[in-house]
């Protein structure tokens, strides 16, 4: 008699409160996609969402710049904060180009994301590969204990297997797990938070929930604040049903706040104030 292996992501989707978060996100996304501006100027909304998403992700990594400063600046090669902003901008530009590879080899995409984020700012042999035993990690926001290199390698393979196997779980659940697991592992020596949030974006786009990439969850994560982000992430780390549900709900709220941001962009474009 054959048996079907359980779908761990679908199991998370059945946790109390998660279905409500999923439904709320779906309705919010549908509303912004139905905005009349999206019929004619969706490319402009996508570009603005990328800029605002990059700013939000960078803010969580310690570079909390005004949006207009991010828009104005052209050189990001200076101090540490400038480099973080530059990395976030490069990652949002790259995300949409990696969808087909993500479906075939998530680990290749993660390596590419780190390479793009580092942009030559790290030693060549440390870029684009998981850290080795004893190598340091620079991730100022996340202070949880670091898994060792062997655990990182094993869990990355497990995460890749989950993605490749496919799941009946809603996109929000998969995106939250990918985001949370990469934050937990911090597999690279630098820019792990930026990479994790970009991977969340890739899942949301590639799943069909947000195919035009106009719902920047990074904006919502930043708007909820660094303390709330860390507290929700601690729920993920706990592995308890309540903690996992709280993390997924937090990610769902982030998407909804991203939707609100892009709705405001649509309204501005409609008024001719782009």
């Amino acid at each position: 008699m054959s048996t079907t292996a359980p779908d761990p992501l679908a199991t998370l989707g059945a946790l109390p409160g998660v279905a409500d978060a999923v439904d709320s996100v779906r309705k919010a996304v549908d509303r912004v996609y139905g905005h009349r501006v999206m019929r004619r100027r969706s490319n402009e909304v996508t570009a603005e969402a990328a800029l605002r998403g990059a700013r939000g992700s960078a803010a969580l990594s310690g570079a909390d710049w005004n949006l207009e400063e991010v828009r104005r600046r052209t050189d990001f090669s200076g101090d540490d904060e400038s480099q973080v902003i530059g990395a976030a901008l490069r990652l949002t530009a790259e995300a949409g180009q990696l969808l087909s590879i993500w479906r075939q080899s998530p680990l290749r995409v993660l390596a590419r994301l780190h390479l793009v984020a580092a942009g030559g700012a790290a030693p060549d042999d440390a870029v684009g590969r998981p850290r080795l035993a004893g190598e340091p990690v620079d991730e100022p926001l996340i202070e949880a204990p670091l898994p060792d290199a062997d655990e990182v390698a094993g869990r990355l393979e497990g995460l890749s297997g989950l993605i490749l196997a496919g799941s009946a779980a809603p996109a929000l659940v998969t995106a939250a797990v990918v985001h949370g697991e990469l934050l937990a592992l911090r597999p690279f020596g630098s820019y792990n938070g930026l990479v994790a949030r970009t991977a969340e974006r890739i899942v949301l786009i590639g799943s069909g929930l947000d195919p035009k990439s106009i719902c920047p969850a990074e904006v919502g994560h930043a708007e909820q604040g660094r303390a709330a982000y860390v507290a929700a992430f601690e729920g993920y780390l706990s592995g308890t049903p309540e903690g996992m549900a709280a993390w997924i709900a937090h990610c769902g709220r982030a998407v909804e706040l991203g939707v609100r941001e892009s709705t405001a962009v649509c309204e501005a474009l409609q008024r001719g104030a782009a």
Side-chain angles (χ1 to χ4, degrees), residues 155-239:
R155 286 172 63 176
L156 281 176
E157 287 291 343
L159 181 63
S160 177
L162 278 179
I163 294 163
L164 293 173
S167 173
L172 172 64
V173 174
T174 304
V177 169
V178 167
H179 182 171
E181 189 68 358
L182 291 174
L183 276 186
L185 296 178
R186 281 147 289 162
F188 304 110
S190 58
Y191 299 115
N192 288 288
L194 295 179
V195 168
R197 290 183 287 276
T198 305
E200 178 185 50
R201 172 185 283 263
I202 289 172
V203 173
L204 294 172
I205 299 169
S207 67
L209 177 66
D210 182 22
K212 293 183 183 294
S213 191
I214 63 166
C215 307
E218 305 96 323
V219 168
H221 287 303
E223 186 169 333
Q224 292 178 90
R226 298 177 90 194
Y229 184 74
V230 171
F233 172 61
E234 287 173 354
Y236 179 87
L237 285 179
S238 75

Side-chain angles (χ1 to χ4, degrees), residues 64-228:
D64 192 359
W65 287 18
N66 179 277
L67 178 64
E68 294 311 313
E69 177 66 11
V70 177
R71 196 191 305 279
R72 180 190 67 81
R73 188 76 69 94
T74 57
D75 181 7
F76 299 97
S77 61
D79 58 21
D80 288 347
E81 286 195 7
S82 297
Q83 290 178 23
V84 169
I85 295 285
L89 288 167
R90 290 191 297 273
L91 285 170
T92 56
E94 188 81 3
Q97 303 177 42
L98 297 173
L99 296 176
S100 61
I101 304 172
W102 177 261
R103 298 183 184 105
Q104 300 169 9
S105 179
L107 298 185
R108 279 181 58 200
V109 169
L110 294 176
R112 173 65 182 168
L113 291 177
H114 186 243
L115 184 67
V116 168
D124 289 347
D125 64 351
V127 173
R129 62 154 175 81
R131 56 188 166 83
L132 304 177
E135 289 184 336
V137 172
D138 178 16
E139 188 57 50
L141 181 59
I142 305 301
E143 298 179 352
L146 276 172
D148 64 32
D150 288 341
E151 183 178 351
V152 167
R155 286 172 63 176
L156 281 176
E157 287 291 343
L159 181 63
S160 177
L162 278 179
I163 294 163
L164 293 173
S167 173
L172 172 64
V173 174
T174 304
V177 169
V178 167
H179 182 171
E181 189 68 358
L182 291 174
L183 276 186
L185 296 178
R186 281 147 289 162
F188 304 110
S190 58
Y191 299 115
N192 288 288
L194 295 179
V195 168
R197 290 183 287 276
T198 305
E200 178 185 50
R201 172 185 283 263
I202 289 172
V203 173
L204 294 172
I205 299 169
S207 67
L209 177 66
D210 182 22
K212 293 183 183 294
S213 191
I214 63 166
C215 307
E218 305 96 323
V219 168
H221 287 303
E223 186 169 333
Q224 292 178 90
R226 298 177 90 194

Side-chain angles (χ1 to χ4, degrees), residues 249-268:
H250 181 88
C251 291
R253 180 60 178 156
V255 175
E256 291 186 64
L257 290 169
V259 166
R260 187 175 72 180
E261 188 86 354
S262 286
T263 301
V265 171
C266 288
E267 294 294 329

